[in-house]
Amino acid sequence: GMFLLSALLLSFGCFASSLTDNLLLAAILAILFNVALLQIPSMLRGQVGDPKEHPYLSELVEKLDVNGSFQQWFARGLIDTSQIWFYVGGTIFFLFLTVQSFSARRVESRIQLRVLGSWLHLALSAVLMLAVWVLLVWVGARPQLRTLIDMTPGSRASVDPVTQELLKGLDREGVKVEIHAFLTPVGGNPQNEYQAQRLRIFQRLQELTRVLLRQYDYLGGD
């Protein structure tokens, strides 16, 4: 997860460096992109509203929320292969733009139309490559190609095979299941060791509940 996330951020850094000879400006562009990618989607999650009312917007925000995905999946030892394609596609996208940007900047001509044509070619290439990135993410998210790898200690996040077949069967038959989980807010400063232990137990139970529900969501479709 660290490798994929770093590759995506560094690839944009390469692209920013290819746009200008000013090292400070390139660094500022890269920092702004990194902060935006890591922070803004997380902030937008609460503004999207009900995913049923805005399914495409909700899906877009979820895909772009690399910070949330990293914390909820990679950091817990769960690898959803559909997320890997987002990082791989984004890295290839920005490295491709880096090469095209260098090619456009090499064009030195007194004819302004030729220079303009080289940058228009860069813009067109960016649009086409963006379409390839979106298509790669879409294909990777298909249930037939999607795999969930459990690398948690002792495979504690794995679901019983019988439960897996049940959930997949419900999805094939078009049966919609809603699970309502009410998690009591936990926090505060414990006054003694008993309260501290009780707080740790509640937090652990809620963490395991979220992991289990993510497994159900993955296996049972939407």
Side-chain angles (χ1 to χ4, degrees), residues 115-213:
V115 177
L116 179 61
S118 64
W119 287 104
L120 286 176
H121 179 266
L122 172 63
L124 180 60
S125 300
V127 173
L128 294 176
M129 197 61 189
L130 180 62
V132 172
W133 183 11
V134 172
L135 181 62
L136 187 64
V137 173
W138 182 82
V139 172
R142 296 307 89 200
Q144 297 82 359
L145 302 175
R146 190 179 178 190
T147 304
L148 191 65
I149 304 173
D150 183 8
M151 300 183 67
T152 57
S155 299
R156 64 188 179 200
S158 296
V159 178
D160 187 271
V162 177
T163 305
Q164 292 187 29
E165 289 301 318
L166 173 63
L167 292 169
K168 292 178 180 179
L170 292 175
D171 185 45
R172 286 192 298 266
E173 296 176 10
V175 178
K176 297 299 181 182
V177 179
E178 289 190 5
I179 299 177
H180 299 265
F182 301 93
L183 302 180
T184 304
V186 293
N189 298 319
Q191 301 299 320
N192 50 53
E193 182 58 30
Y194 170 78
Q195 293 182 2
Q197 178 66 9
R198 187 173 183 272
L199 179 62
R200 287 192 292 268
I201 291 174
F202 268 101
Q203 291 175 339
R204 182 68 181 137
L205 283 173
Q206 291 192 3
E207 177 187 348
L208 292 173
T209 300
R210 291 190 179 95
V211 171
L212 181 64
L213 291 178

Side-chain angles (χ1 to χ4, degrees), residues 7-16 18 33 37 87-101 129 133:
L8 176 61
L9 299 180
L10 287 171
S11 65
F12 181 84
C14 293
F15 175 57
S18 71
F33 173 81
L37 185 64
Y87 294 98
V88 172
T91 302
I92 295 174
F93 172 72
F94 288 119
L95 290 179
F96 174 80
L97 292 187
T98 301
V99 175
Q100 295 298 315
S101 176
M129 197 61 189
W133 183 11

